[in-house]
């Protein structure tokens, strides 16, 4: 099975991660490195994709500054989304031509990674027709409310009232990708312990009638990044037929520097 480097960047700013992605993409296009999955967590940031509409940003520049939220336009597909602490962001840089030259299939498989990750936690996630991402249906949300309101196994009237108000699936994982010469960049964002109030600053993915949720909210208990990340890595390797190989930031940077030095040394 073909190896895929798994590099955990930890807590990193969006611009820094984006600049690194571009370096990784250049090296992958030249076959100077193999496939890579970058995992990270961003400070509060809102990004607007190629097809996004600025009116889906509901907060003014002043409000964003007060809340310490950055705003960036980007070349990924999709509309507007939020990244922040408690969310695992995955940036796969893989050569799709070696797997399957099909953009729609690729997006569906990123959804599958998050759906299977949810299943590892006993959470039933799925797809929504006409919408990308991983979604949690009303039945799962109702179960979460029952667990929270009746920890001893008895359903309270309060949880029943909440369950009646739950009518639409909520998004637990978002996707926005960019593909150039069949090398992928950008990727997915999986809400583990995300502060969901920050999604109120936008119309998430441009879908006004839908809300975001998180693994922590659905399970009704704390979920750490270290608990969820290994599951994502395992399911990513399973879905894409890749053998996850943990690599350090230093190993990745060394490989990139070797490629970049060689590229400079070659006459134009």
């Amino acid at each position: 099975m073909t190896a895929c480097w798994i590099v955990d960047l930890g807590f990193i700013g969006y611009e820094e991660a984006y600049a690194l992605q571009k370096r990784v993409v250049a090296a992958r296009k030249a076959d100077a490195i193999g496939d890579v999955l970058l995992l990270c967590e961003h400070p509060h940031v809102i990004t607007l994709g190629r097809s996004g509409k600025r009116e889906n940003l509901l907060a003014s520049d002043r409000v964003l500054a007060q809340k310490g939220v950055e705003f960036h336009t980007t070349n990924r597909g999709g509309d507007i989304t939020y990244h922040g602490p408690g969310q695992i962001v995955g940036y796969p840089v893989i050569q799709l031509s070696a797997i399957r030259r099909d953009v729609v299939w690729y997006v569906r498989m990123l959804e599958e990674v998050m759906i299977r990750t949810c299943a590892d936690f006993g959470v039933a996630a799925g797809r929504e027709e006409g919408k990308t991402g991983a979604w949690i249906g009303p039945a799962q949300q109702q179960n979460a409310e029952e667990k929270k309101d009746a920890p001893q196994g008895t359903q309270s009237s309060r949880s029943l009232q909440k369950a009646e108000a739950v009518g639409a699936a909520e998004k637990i994982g978002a996707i926005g990708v960019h593909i150039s010469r069949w090398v992928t960049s950008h990727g997915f964002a999986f809400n583990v312990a995300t502060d969901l109030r920050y999604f109120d600053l936008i119309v998430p993915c441009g879908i006004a009638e839908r809300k975001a949720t998180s693994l922590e909210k659905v399970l009704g208990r704390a979920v750490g990044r270290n608990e969820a990340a290994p599951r994502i890595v395992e399911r990513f390797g399973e879905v894409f037929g890749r053998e996850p190989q943990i690599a350090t930031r230093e190993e990745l940077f060394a490989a990139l520097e070797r490629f970049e030095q060689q590229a400079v040394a070659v006459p134009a």
Side-chain angles (χ1 to χ4, degrees):
M1 189 180 290
T2 304
C4 177
W5 274 10
I6 310 298
V7 183
D8 194 334
L9 302 174
F11 201 67
I12 183 172
Y14 183 81
E15 284 189 303
E16 183 180 354
Y18 182 41
L20 177 58
Q21 272 191 86
K22 289 191 283 189
R23 294 177 64 194
V24 177
V25 166
R28 188 66 190 94
K29 285 180 177 178
D31 285 325
I33 60 173
D35 291 338
V36 178
L37 172 60
L38 302 173
L39 293 178
C40 66
E41 193 172 355
H42 290 312
H44 301 297
V45 60
I46 290 170
T47 66
L48 185 68
R50 294 190 308 271
S51 59
K53 299 178 181 178
R54 185 63 185 252
E55 55 263 35
N56 288 328
L57 174 63
L58 304 179
S60 65
D61 291 342
R62 181 179 61 82
V63 170
L64 293 181
Q66 288 175 342
K67 292 183 175 294
V69 180
E70 295 182 0
F71 175 79
H72 297 283
T73 56
T74 180
N75 70 343
R76 65 162 172 78
D79 203 291
I80 196 166
T81 195
Y82 159 80
H83 299 309
Q87 181 188 72
I88 295 178
V89 178
Y91 295 128
V93 181
I94 62 178
Q95 179 52 265
L96 268 188
S97 61
I99 305 173
R100 179 170 170 173
R101 294 190 177 201
D102 188 330
V103 177
V104 174
W105 174 86
Y106 175 61
V107 171
R108 296 290 87 83
M109 291 305 99
L110 291 180
E111 292 171 345
E112 188 66 20
V113 170
M114 293 187 285
I115 288 169
R116 294 188 189 187
T117 298
C118 286
D120 286 336
F121 288 88
V123 174
R127 296 178 176 86
E128 283 280 284
E129 186 176 355
K131 300 177 177 64
T132 61
W135 299 80
I136 303 295
Q140 189 74 66
Q141 296 172 48
Q142 178 177 340
N143 289 339
E145 293 293 352
E146 290 172 2
K147 290 177 182 178
K148 181 172 68 175
D149 289 343
Q152 302 304 316
T154 58
Q155 188 181 41
S156 70
S157 59
R158 179 166 168 260
S159 70
L160 281 170
Q161 290 169 359
K162 286 187 176 181
E164 289 173 359
V166 175
E170 296 180 342
K171 182 176 269 191
I172 194 168
I175 294 172
V177 303
H178 180 77
I179 298 175
S180 174
R181 285 163 45 191
W182 292 108
V183 173
T184 67
S185 58
H186 297 283
F188 61 89
F190 184 66
N191 297 330
V192 178
T194 318
D195 186 341
L196 300 174
R197 291 173 296 180
Y198 282 86
F199 284 99
D200 293 337
L201 300 174
I202 62 174
V203 179
C205 301
I207 308 173
E209 71 276 12
R210 298 301 182 93
K211 299 290 186 180
T213 190
S214 69
L215 197 58
E216 191 169 271
K217 178 184 175 185
V218 174
L219 291 176
R221 65 170 179 85
V223 183
R225 186 173 185 274
N226 292 337
E227 185 179 357
R231 300 276 68 79
I232 289 176
V233 169
E234 182 177 353
R235 298 312 171 196
F236 181 87
E238 178 181 274
V239 167
F240 288 100
R242 292 294 181 262
E243 182 65 38
Q245 186 178 94
I246 303 300
T248 64
R249 293 171 58 124
E250 290 71 25
E251 288 173 319
L252 175 63
F253 292 157
L256 294 176
E257 287 168 4
R258 285 194 298 270
F259 161 69
E260 290 160 356
Q261 288 170 1
Q262 291 170 359
V264 170
V266 175

